Each structure stands twice: as structure tokens, then as C-alpha cells.
Amino acid sequence: MPLETATFVSDLIPANPAHSDGLNQADAHMRLIKAALKASFPHSGTITNSDNQLILLDGTSTKPSYSFASEPTLGFYRLSSGLIVIGGGRLIGNGAVPVGSLHEFLFEPEGFKNDGSAGGQYLELNGVTYNTADYPRLAAHLGVTASTFALLNVTDTGRFARARRTGVTAGTKEANLVGAHGHTATADAAGSHAHNVSGSTGSMDRANPHSHSTDAQQNNPNFGAGTQSPRAPQTAQATINATDINHLHSVSGATDAQGVHSHVITVAANVGAETRPEAYSVIKCIKT
């Protein structure tokens, strides 16, 4: 029978050559097998080592060393010492980074996108719109059924993340809010002053009914009759009684206008453009 054709080992037909084929085709069969083996295992060294480990070439991002027949550009390759990379796709499933997980970076990571284009592994949360067809797994995780979806924008004000709570679902954007608090204030000493009062007292009403009474004894110069000695002089005594002399004095007047003033209240200020705790900035991304 005519010689078969094959490029890789998988192309070889196990039933060939038939026992009826002539020996003159034996060398052609040998060359075909060797060509298929070298094409299937393009290795420059040994395939296994002394521990029977399969030894592969390092490979590249477009030609992984461990690949698949239906998609030869997808697979694993060695990037550098101690580092294996997936080429042509991504790893999902148990142990892989889950779709929709949030990540923070100080520098843009490999697979970073923030412009709405396809092929990203980490999309920045900057409100950009993406095509659902480019990121079907992320769209499904977000519950998107439309042809496009926009990511949450946390770069508009540099938002902080906080845990969801009763009445506030995950992904809800909240505006700035300053809680109740107090300020200490001081007043200056301006406005020291005095008030002057002027006026006069009222006089006692001389028509107020009153009287004075006197009870007095005066010296008596009379002598007694007969041989009596003259009486000793008597000292006069007087008592003046006063009645109805109660009265009041009143004062009237008005203060002048001196002392018009104001006080300046100074509140200690320590403010800026926003209210925030101590912080540092990062690139917030979502995994596709």
C-alpha cells in the first residue's frame, strides 16, 4: 500500500505498514516515524532525567512549553528562575484568584487595564465602560445582562472602602459627612467700659405737717414768808419733742451712652479640602 503521511505522532496509523508491504518501503516508514517524533517532541536535550521527570523546554508566551493540541498558544512556560507563567489565557477554578475580587496595587500590575479595552486581568475601578463580550465571566459575576457594563468609580474623590452594613449594600457610594463635634472658642477683651449716672436729690417738703413741744422749768427768785431763807436757785430743764418729721430723699437721672462695643469670637480652625484619616493612595482594581 502507499506510504502514509504524518506530521506528528498523533497522525501515525498504528495498523501501518501492512504485512504485505515490501521491504523496499521500510526505510520510508522509519524516516516518517522519526520526523513525527521530532515534530512532536522538539527538544534539544533529554526528555526525562534520572528521576524520570519530564524535561521540557522553557517555552515562550506565544509557544508555551506545556500546551494543548486544540489551542497550542495556551499553556505554561518558564519566565525566569522560580517563576512559571500561563501563556495565552488564565487559570481559573480552585486555588486561582476568583473573578470579581478586589485588589490594591502601588504600581500597575501585569494585565492592567483602565481604558475599556479587552484582554485585561485587572481593571481599575475608575467608572470606565467595558464590553460584556470581552469580559463575560466578570459581567456574569456582576449580574450584567446588557452588552456593556460600567465599573464602580472610586477615583472621582479617592474613596475609602468600608464594610457593608444594615441598609447599605456593597458597592453603594456615600457622600462626605462630618459627625457631630465641638469647637473651643475664645473672645477678645475689647469693650471694657463704665457707665456714669448724674442727677439730684429731692428736697424735704416744708409743708409736711410737724410740730415741736417744750417742757421746761426756769429759775425761781421768790423768797419764803417770815424768817424763811430764800430758796436755792433752780436749774431750768427743757425737752423738745418732735413729731411728724418722717420724709424721704429721691434720686433720679439717666446713664450716658458710653460703652457701645462688640466682642470678636475666634474659633480655632484646622481644616482642609476634605475630612480624612491618615491614608496612602493605591490603585484599586477588580479581577476579571
Side-chain angles (χ1 to χ4, degrees), residues 73-144:
T73 58
L74 174 64
F76 299 93
Y77 67 95
R78 177 182 178 274
L79 181 63
S80 60
S81 177
L83 184 60
I84 297 174
V85 182
I86 300 174
R90 70 192 65 184
L91 182 66
I92 63 173
N94 187 25
V97 179
V99 173
S101 57
L102 300 182
H103 301 265
E104 296 180 346
F105 300 95
L106 294 178
F107 302 95
E108 295 180 0
E110 183 178 356
F112 173 81
K113 294 285 186 179
N114 65 354
D115 57 0
S117 61
Q121 297 184 43
Y122 296 95
L123 308 182
E124 185 175 14
L125 297 177
N126 61 351
V128 169
T129 298
Y130 291 87
N131 291 321
T132 300
D134 294 334
Y135 301 98
R137 296 174 61 244
L138 178 59
H141 173 78
L142 298 175
V144 174

Coordinates of all heavy atoms in Angstrom, one line a residue, residues 73-144:
T73 N -1.3 27.8 21.7 CA -0.7 29.0 22.3 C -1.1 29.1 23.8 O -0.6 30.1 24.5 CB -1.2 30.3 21.6 OG1 -2.6 30.3 21.6 CG2 -0.7 30.3 20.1
L74 N -1.9 28.3 24.3 CA -2.3 28.3 25.7 C -1.6 27.2 26.4 O -1.5 26.1 26.0 CB -3.8 28.0 25.8 CG -4.4 27.8 27.2 CD1 -4.3 29.1 28.0 CD2 -5.8 27.4 27.2
G75 N -0.9 27.7 27.5 CA -0.2 26.7 28.3 C 0.7 27.4 29.3 O 0.7 28.6 29.6
F76 N 1.7 26.6 29.9 CA 2.6 27.1 30.8 C 4.0 27.3 30.2 O 4.4 26.4 29.4 CB 2.7 26.1 32.0 CG 1.5 25.9 32.8 CD1 0.6 24.9 32.4 CD2 1.1 26.8 33.8 CE1 -0.6 24.7 33.1 CE2 -0.1 26.6 34.5 CZ -0.9 25.6 34.1
Y77 N 4.7 28.3 30.7 CA 6.1 28.4 30.2 C 6.9 29.0 31.4 O 6.4 29.6 32.3 CB 6.2 29.3 29.0 CG 5.9 30.7 29.2 CD1 6.8 31.7 29.4 CD2 4.6 31.1 29.0 CE1 6.5 33.0 29.6 CE2 4.2 32.5 29.2 CZ 5.2 33.4 29.5 OH 4.9 34.7 29.6
R78 N 8.2 28.8 31.3 CA 9.1 29.3 32.4 C 9.6 30.7 32.0 O 10.2 30.9 30.9 CB 10.3 28.4 32.5 CG 11.4 28.9 33.5 CD 12.6 28.0 33.5 NE 13.6 28.4 34.5 CZ 14.6 29.3 34.2 NH1 14.6 29.8 32.9 NH2 15.5 29.7 35.1
L79 N 9.3 31.7 32.9 CA 9.7 33.1 32.6 C 11.1 33.4 33.1 O 11.9 34.0 32.4 CB 8.7 34.0 33.2 CG 8.9 35.5 33.0 CD1 8.8 35.9 31.5 CD2 8.0 36.4 33.8
S80 N 11.4 33.0 34.3 CA 12.7 33.2 34.9 C 12.8 32.2 36.0 O 12.0 31.4 36.3 CB 12.9 34.6 35.3 OG 11.9 35.0 36.3
S81 N 13.9 32.3 36.7 CA 14.2 31.4 37.8 C 13.1 31.5 38.9 O 12.7 32.5 39.4 CB 15.5 31.8 38.5 OG 15.8 31.0 39.6
G82 N 12.5 30.3 39.1 CA 11.4 30.1 40.1 C 10.1 30.7 39.7 O 9.2 30.8 40.6
L83 N 9.9 31.0 38.4 CA 8.6 31.7 38.0 C 8.0 31.0 36.8 O 8.6 30.9 35.7 CB 8.8 33.2 37.7 CG 7.6 34.0 37.4 CD1 6.6 34.0 38.5 CD2 8.0 35.4 37.0
I84 N 6.8 30.5 36.9 CA 6.0 29.9 35.8 C 4.9 30.8 35.5 O 4.2 31.3 36.4 CB 5.5 28.5 36.2 CG1 6.7 27.5 36.5 CG2 4.6 27.9 35.2 CD1 6.2 26.2 37.1
V85 N 4.6 31.0 34.2 CA 3.6 31.9 33.7 C 2.6 31.1 32.8 O 3.0 30.2 32.1 CB 4.2 33.1 33.0 CG1 3.1 34.0 32.5 CG2 5.2 33.8 33.9
I86 N 1.3 31.5 32.9 CA 0.3 31.0 32.0 C 0.3 31.9 30.7 O 0.1 33.1 30.8 CB -1.1 31.0 32.6 CG1 -1.0 30.1 33.8 CG2 -2.1 30.5 31.6 CD1 -2.3 30.1 34.6
G87 N 0.5 31.2 29.6 CA 0.5 32.0 28.3 C -0.8 31.8 27.6 O -1.3 30.7 27.5
G88 N -1.3 32.8 27.0 CA -2.4 32.7 26.1 C -3.8 32.6 26.8 O -4.8 32.3 26.2
G89 N -3.8 32.8 28.1 CA -5.1 32.6 28.8 C -4.9 32.9 30.3 O -4.0 33.6 30.7
R90 N -5.7 32.2 31.1 CA -5.6 32.4 32.6 C -6.1 31.1 33.3 O -6.7 30.3 32.7 CB -6.5 33.6 33.0 CG -8.0 33.3 32.9 CD -8.7 34.6 33.1 NE -8.5 35.5 32.0 CZ -8.9 36.8 32.0 NH1 -9.7 37.2 32.9 NH2 -8.6 37.6 31.0
L91 N -5.7 31.0 34.5 CA -6.1 29.9 35.3 C -7.3 30.2 36.2 O -7.3 31.2 36.8 CB -4.9 29.5 36.2 CG -5.1 28.2 37.1 CD1 -5.2 27.0 36.2 CD2 -3.9 28.1 38.0
I92 N -8.3 29.3 36.1 CA -9.5 29.5 37.0 C -9.7 28.3 37.8 O -9.1 27.2 37.6 CB -10.7 29.8 36.1 CG1 -11.1 28.7 35.2 CG2 -10.5 31.1 35.3 CD1 -12.4 28.9 34.4
G93 N -10.7 28.4 38.7 CA -11.0 27.2 39.5 C -10.4 27.3 40.9 O -9.9 28.3 41.3
N94 N -10.4 26.1 41.6 CA -10.0 26.1 43.0 C -8.5 26.4 43.0 O -7.7 25.9 42.3 CB -10.2 24.6 43.5 CG -9.9 24.5 45.0 OD1 -10.0 25.5 45.7 ND2 -9.6 23.3 45.4
G95 N -8.2 27.4 43.9 CA -6.8 27.8 44.1 C -6.4 29.0 43.2 O -5.4 29.7 43.5
A96 N -7.3 29.4 42.3 CA -7.0 30.5 41.4 C -7.6 31.8 42.0 O -8.5 31.7 42.9 CB -7.6 30.3 40.0
V97 N -7.1 32.9 41.6 CA -7.7 34.2 42.1 C -9.1 34.3 41.5 O -9.3 34.3 40.3 CB -6.8 35.4 41.6 CG1 -7.4 36.7 42.1 CG2 -5.4 35.3 42.1
P98 N -10.1 34.5 42.4 CA -11.5 34.5 41.9 C -11.9 35.7 41.2 O -11.4 36.8 41.4 CB -12.3 34.4 43.3 CG -11.4 35.0 44.3 CD -10.0 34.6 43.9
V99 N -12.8 35.6 40.2 CA -13.3 36.7 39.4 C -14.1 37.6 40.3 O -14.8 37.2 41.2 CB -14.2 36.2 38.3 CG1 -14.9 37.3 37.6 CG2 -13.4 35.3 37.3
G100 N -13.9 38.9 40.1 CA -14.6 39.9 40.9 C -13.9 40.3 42.2 O -14.4 41.2 42.9
S101 N -12.8 39.6 42.6 CA -12.1 40.0 43.8 C -11.4 41.4 43.6 O -11.0 41.7 42.5 CB -11.1 38.9 44.2 OG -10.2 38.7 43.1
L102 N -11.3 42.1 44.7 CA -10.8 43.5 44.6 C -9.3 43.4 45.1 O -9.0 42.7 46.0 CB -11.6 44.4 45.5 CG -13.0 44.6 45.1 CD1 -13.7 45.7 46.1 CD2 -13.2 45.1 43.7
H103 N -8.5 44.2 44.4 CA -7.0 44.2 44.7 C -6.5 45.6 44.7 O -7.0 46.5 44.0 CB -6.3 43.4 43.6 CG -6.7 42.0 43.6 ND1 -6.1 40.9 44.2 CD2 -7.8 41.4 42.9 CE1 -6.7 39.8 44.0 NE2 -7.8 40.1 43.2
E104 N -5.5 45.8 45.5 CA -4.8 47.1 45.6 C -3.4 47.0 45.2 O -2.7 46.1 45.7 CB -4.9 47.7 47.1 CG -6.4 48.0 47.5 CD -6.4 48.5 48.9 OE1 -5.4 48.4 49.6 OE2 -7.5 49.0 49.3
F105 N -2.9 47.9 44.4 CA -1.5 47.9 43.9 C -0.9 49.3 44.1 O -1.5 50.3 44.0 CB -1.5 47.5 42.4 CG -2.0 46.1 42.1 CD1 -3.4 46.0 41.7 CD2 -1.3 45.0 42.3 CE1 -3.9 44.8 41.4 CE2 -1.8 43.7 42.0 CZ -3.2 43.6 41.6
L106 N 0.4 49.3 44.3 CA 1.2 50.5 44.3 C 1.6 50.9 42.9 O 1.9 52.1 42.7 CB 2.4 50.4 45.3 CG 2.0 50.3 46.8 CD1 3.3 50.1 47.6 CD2 1.2 51.5 47.3
F107 N 1.7 49.9 42.1 CA 2.1 50.1 40.7 C 1.2 49.3 39.8 O 0.6 48.3 40.3 CB 3.6 49.7 40.4 CG 4.6 50.4 41.3 CD1 5.0 49.8 42.5 CD2 5.0 51.6 40.9 CE1 5.9 50.5 43.3 CE2 5.9 52.3 41.7 CZ 6.4 51.8 42.9
E108 N 1.0 49.7 38.5 CA 0.1 49.0 37.6 C 0.6 47.5 37.4 O 1.8 47.3 37.0 CB 0.0 49.7 36.3 CG -0.6 51.1 36.4 CD -0.7 51.8 35.1 OE1 -0.2 51.2 34.1 OE2 -1.2 52.9 35.0
P109 N -0.2 46.5 37.7 CA 0.2 45.1 37.6 C 0.2 44.6 36.1 O -0.3 45.3 35.2 CB -0.8 44.4 38.4 CG -2.0 45.2 38.3 CD -1.6 46.6 38.2
E110 N 0.8 43.5 35.9 CA 0.7 42.8 34.6 C -0.8 42.5 34.3 O -1.5 42.0 35.2 CB 1.5 41.6 34.6 CG 1.5 40.9 33.2 CD 2.4 39.6 33.2 OE1 3.1 39.3 34.2 OE2 2.4 38.9 32.2
G111 N -1.2 42.8 33.1 CA -2.6 42.6 32.7 C -3.5 43.7 33.2 O -4.7 43.6 33.2
F112 N -2.9 44.9 33.5 CA -3.7 46.1 34.0 C -4.4 46.8 32.8 O -3.8 47.0 31.7 CB -2.8 47.1 34.7 CG -3.4 48.4 35.1 CD1 -4.2 48.4 36.2 CD2 -3.3 49.5 34.3 CE1 -4.8 49.6 36.6 CE2 -3.9 50.7 34.7 CZ -4.6 50.8 35.8
K113 N -5.7 47.2 33.0 CA -6.4 48.0 32.0 C -7.3 49.0 32.8 O -7.8 48.7 33.8 CB -7.4 47.1 31.2 CG -6.7 46.1 30.3 CD -6.1 46.7 29.0 CE -5.5 45.7 28.1 NZ -5.0 46.3 26.9
N114 N -7.4 50.2 32.1 CA -8.3 51.2 32.7 C -8.9 52.1 31.6 O -9.3 53.2 31.8 CB -7.5 52.1 33.7 CG -6.4 52.9 33.0 OD1 -6.1 52.8 31.8 ND2 -5.8 53.8 33.8
D115 N -8.9 51.5 30.4 CA -9.4 52.3 29.2 C -10.5 51.7 28.5 O -10.9 52.1 27.4 CB -8.2 52.5 28.2 CG -7.6 51.2 27.8 OD1 -8.0 50.1 28.2 OD2 -6.6 51.3 27.0
G116 N -11.1 50.6 29.0 CA -12.3 50.0 28.3 C -11.9 49.0 27.3 O -12.8 48.4 26.6
S117 N -10.6 48.7 27.1 CA -10.2 47.7 26.1 C -10.3 46.3 26.6 O -10.4 46.1 27.8 CB -8.8 48.1 25.6 OG -7.9 48.0 26.6
A118 N -10.1 45.3 25.7 CA -10.2 43.9 26.0 C -8.9 43.4 26.5 O -7.8 44.0 26.3 CB -10.7 43.1 24.9
G119 N -8.9 42.2 27.1 CA -7.6 41.5 27.4 C -7.0 41.8 28.8 O -5.9 41.3 29.1
G120 N -7.7 42.5 29.6 CA -7.2 42.8 30.9 C -7.5 41.8 31.9 O -8.5 41.1 31.9
Q121 N -6.6 41.7 32.9 CA -6.8 40.8 34.0 C -7.2 41.5 35.3 O -7.8 41.0 36.2 CB -5.5 39.9 34.3 CG -5.1 39.0 33.1 CD -4.0 38.1 33.5 OE1 -3.9 37.6 34.6 NE2 -3.0 38.0 32.6
Y122 N -6.7 42.8 35.4 CA -7.0 43.7 36.5 C -7.5 45.0 35.9 O -6.8 45.7 35.3 CB -5.8 43.9 37.4 CG -5.3 42.6 38.1 CD1 -4.3 41.9 37.5 CD2 -5.9 42.2 39.3 CE1 -3.9 40.7 38.1 CE2 -5.5 41.0 39.9 CZ -4.5 40.3 39.3 OH -4.0 39.1 39.9
L123 N -8.8 45.3 36.2 CA -9.4 46.5 35.7 C -9.5 47.5 36.8 O -10.1 47.2 37.9 CB -10.8 46.2 35.1 CG -10.9 45.1 34.0 CD1 -12.3 45.0 33.5 CD2 -9.9 45.3 32.9
E124 N -9.0 48.7 36.5 CA -9.1 49.8 37.6 C -10.5 50.2 37.8 O -11.3 50.4 36.8 CB -8.2 51.0 37.2 CG -8.2 52.0 38.3 CD -7.2 53.2 38.0 OE1 -6.8 53.3 36.8 OE2 -6.9 53.9 38.9
L125 N -10.9 50.5 39.0 CA -12.3 50.9 39.3 C -12.3 52.4 39.1 O -12.2 53.2 40.1 CB -12.6 50.6 40.8 CG -12.7 49.1 41.1 CD1 -13.0 48.8 42.6 CD2 -13.7 48.4 40.2
N126 N -12.5 52.8 37.9 CA -12.5 54.3 37.5 C -13.7 54.7 36.7 O -13.7 55.7 36.1 CB -11.2 54.6 36.8 CG -11.1 53.9 35.4 OD1 -11.9 52.9 35.2 ND2 -10.1 54.3 34.6
G127 N -14.7 53.8 36.8 CA -16.0 54.2 36.1 C -16.0 53.9 34.6 O -17.0 54.3 34.0
V128 N -15.0 53.3 34.0 CA -14.9 53.1 32.6 C -15.9 52.0 32.2 O -16.2 51.1 32.9 CB -13.5 52.8 32.1 CG1 -13.4 52.3 30.7 CG2 -12.6 54.0 32.3
T129 N -16.4 52.1 30.9 CA -17.4 51.1 30.4 C -16.6 50.1 29.6 O -15.7 50.4 28.8 CB -18.4 51.8 29.5 OG1 -19.2 52.7 30.3 CG2 -19.4 50.8 28.9
Y130 N -17.0 48.8 29.8 CA -16.4 47.7 29.1 C -17.5 46.8 28.3 O -18.6 46.9 28.7 CB -15.6 46.7 30.0 CG -14.4 47.4 30.6 CD1 -14.5 48.2 31.8 CD2 -13.2 47.2 30.0 CE1 -13.3 48.8 32.3 CE2 -12.0 47.8 30.5 CZ -12.1 48.6 31.7 OH -11.0 49.1 32.2
N131 N -17.0 46.1 27.3 CA -18.0 45.3 26.6 C -18.1 43.9 27.3 O -17.1 43.3 27.7 CB -17.4 45.0 25.2 CG -17.5 46.2 24.3 OD1 -18.4 47.0 24.4 ND2 -16.4 46.4 23.5
T132 N -19.4 43.5 27.4 CA -19.6 42.2 28.1 C -19.0 41.1 27.4 O -18.5 40.1 28.0 CB -21.2 42.0 28.2 OG1 -21.7 43.1 28.9 CG2 -21.5 40.7 28.9
A133 N -18.9 41.1 26.1 CA -18.3 40.1 25.3 C -16.8 39.9 25.6 O -16.3 38.8 25.5 CB -18.5 40.3 23.8
D134 N -16.2 41.0 26.0 CA -14.7 40.9 26.3 C -14.5 40.3 27.7 O -13.4 39.7 27.9 CB -14.1 42.3 26.2 CG -14.1 42.9 24.8 OD1 -14.1 42.1 23.9 OD2 -14.1 44.1 24.7
Y135 N -15.4 40.5 28.6 CA -15.3 40.0 29.9 C -16.5 39.3 30.4 O -17.2 39.8 31.3 CB -14.9 41.2 30.9 CG -13.7 41.9 30.5 CD1 -13.7 43.1 29.8 CD2 -12.4 41.4 30.9 CE1 -12.6 43.8 29.4 CE2 -11.2 42.1 30.5 CZ -11.3 43.3 29.8 OH -10.2 43.9 29.4
P136 N -16.9 38.2 29.8 CA -18.2 37.5 30.1 C -18.2 37.0 31.5 O -19.3 37.1 32.2 CB -18.2 36.4 29.1 CG -16.8 36.1 28.7 CD -16.2 37.5 28.7
R137 N -17.1 36.5 32.1 CA -17.2 36.0 33.4 C -17.3 37.1 34.5 O -18.0 36.9 35.5 CB -15.9 35.2 33.7 CG -15.8 33.9 32.8 CD -14.4 33.2 32.9 NE -14.3 32.7 34.3 CZ -13.3 33.1 35.1 NH1 -12.4 34.0 34.7 NH2 -13.2 32.6 36.3
L138 N -16.6 38.2 34.2 CA -16.8 39.3 35.2 C -18.2 39.9 35.1 O -18.8 40.2 36.1 CB -15.8 40.4 34.9 CG -15.9 41.7 35.7 CD1 -15.7 41.4 37.2 CD2 -14.8 42.7 35.3
A139 N -18.7 40.0 33.9 CA -20.1 40.5 33.7 C -21.1 39.6 34.4 O -22.0 40.1 35.1 CB -20.4 40.6 32.2
A140 N -20.9 38.3 34.3 CA -21.8 37.4 35.0 C -21.7 37.5 36.5 O -22.7 37.5 37.2 CB -21.5 36.0 34.5
H141 N -20.5 37.7 37.0 CA -20.3 37.9 38.4 C -21.0 39.2 38.9 O -21.6 39.2 40.0 CB -18.8 38.0 38.7 CG -18.5 38.4 40.1 ND1 -18.6 37.5 41.2 CD2 -18.2 39.6 40.7 CE1 -18.3 38.1 42.3 NE2 -18.0 39.4 42.0
L142 N -21.0 40.2 38.1 CA -21.6 41.5 38.4 C -23.1 41.5 38.2 O -23.8 42.5 38.5 CB -21.0 42.6 37.7 CG -19.5 42.9 38.0 CD1 -19.0 44.0 37.1 CD2 -19.3 43.2 39.5
G143 N -23.6 40.4 37.6 CA -25.1 40.3 37.3 C -25.5 41.1 36.1 O -26.7 41.5 36.0
V144 N -24.6 41.4 35.2 CA -24.8 42.2 34.0 C -25.4 41.3 32.9 O -24.9 40.2 32.6 CB -23.5 42.9 33.5 CG1 -23.8 43.6 32.2 CG2 -23.0 43.8 34.5

